[in-house]
Amino acid sequence: MFEVRVGVELEFYSKRAKSFFNGEVKEEIGKGQLEVVFPHSSNIPQVLKEVLQFKRKYKEDADFRAHHFGLPSSALQFNISIHKQGKPFVTPGILHHLLADIKPDLHFFAPTENCRARLKDLEKIKNFRNSPYTLCIGDKNNRTAAIRVIENRIEHRVPSASCLVIPRFRSILNAISKGLQETKERHV
């Protein structure tokens, strides 16, 4: 049996001071850019509910639209760990399916032209190396990778902060499921 745990990092812009958000956020690298971190949990519905509640609560004061071309972008990063008998692991099959599902679903991960531009307009963002504009798997030092693996934790870095959270996570979970199924079939 496998256990999946997820955490979320939500980056956005606001004209409000950090203190307005009642200690829920920290400052990010862009001027006026903030981040809220939802810690890892196996109670995935609760994590996703908290993300949605935050977005609803602050929809008038937070800008979740993508920013690009010299500015760090608003983003929604899923941090995922898969455990078997309490130990985290990642398989090539899981990574393959996560990567393979990005391109056909890109319009869902990045729902507006502005969101997609932060992922693909290389000429305009080549001097800014924090956007996940490379459709590849990277390590902790590669901030341009769509998916990073850090100590058996997967960072899915493509979703825009303005995407629909639950359907996006559902598609990520589906890709993980396909990868786990392949792993089980190889070991039968």
Side-chain angles (χ1 to χ4, degrees):
M1 185 58 99
F2 302 106
E3 177 188 43
V4 177
R5 299 177 191 165
V6 67
V8 173
E9 295 176 31
L10 178 61
E11 296 170 352
F12 60 95
Y13 281 82
S14 180
K15 292 180 180 167
R16 298 279 194 168
K18 177 179 135 181
S19 59
F20 174 79
F21 296 93
N22 301 318
E24 295 180 76
V25 301
K26 64 180 186 175
E27 291 178 345
E28 261 295 330
I29 60 174
K31 184 176 177 130
Q33 186 185 31
L34 301 169
E35 176 184 65
V36 59
V37 176
F38 301 90
H40 264 82
S41 173
S42 57
N43 188 347
I44 295 169
Q46 182 62 33
V47 173
L48 298 179
K49 179 181 175 185
E50 289 173 14
V51 172
L52 293 171
Q53 286 174 336
F54 182 90
K55 287 180 77 172
R56 263 187 244 117
K57 180 178 178 180
Y58 294 115
K59 69 181 178 188
E60 301 298 322
D61 301 296
D63 182 358
F64 298 108
R65 295 174 300 165
H67 294 265
H68 57 285
F69 309 145
L71 288 174
S73 188
S74 296
L76 177 82
Q77 176 175 300
F78 290 104
N79 299 318
I80 305 154
S81 58
I82 304 151
H83 300 258
K84 184 174 183 178
Q85 297 174 336
K87 295 183 181 179
F89 72 97
V90 177
T91 68
I94 291 168
L95 297 175
H96 164 78
H97 285 287
L98 284 169
L99 204 55
D101 285 0
I102 291 174
K103 214 168 193 178
D105 285 348
L106 187 59
H107 61 285
F108 295 117
F109 284 115
T112 67
E113 253 329 292
N114 198 35
C115 295
R116 289 186 287 281
R118 91 183 221 283
L119 303 171
K120 66 182 181 182
D121 202 336
L122 301 182
E123 195 52 41
K124 292 183 180 176
I125 62 173
K126 66 183 177 185
N127 293 323
F128 188 70
R129 299 288 184 221
N130 283 340
S131 288
Y133 59 78
T134 309
L135 193 57
C136 70
I137 297 163
D139 63 13
K140 69 179 180 179
N141 297 316
N142 186 350
R143 298 196 59 80
T144 67
I147 295 173
R148 296 194 315 169
V149 179
I150 302 172
E151 298 175 8
N152 286 319
R153 187 188 81 233
I154 300 165
E155 289 183 355
H156 198 298
R157 305 184 67 241
V158 174
S160 164
S162 60
C163 79
L164 298 174
V165 176
I166 292 173
R168 290 307 36 93
F169 186 72
R170 191 177 300 130
S171 70
I172 291 169
L173 202 54
N174 186 43
I176 290 170
S177 180
K178 288 187 244 177
L180 288 172
Q181 186 61 37
E182 284 180 9
T183 302
K184 285 170 68 176
E185 289 169 3
R186 282 193 207 125
H187 293 96
V188 172

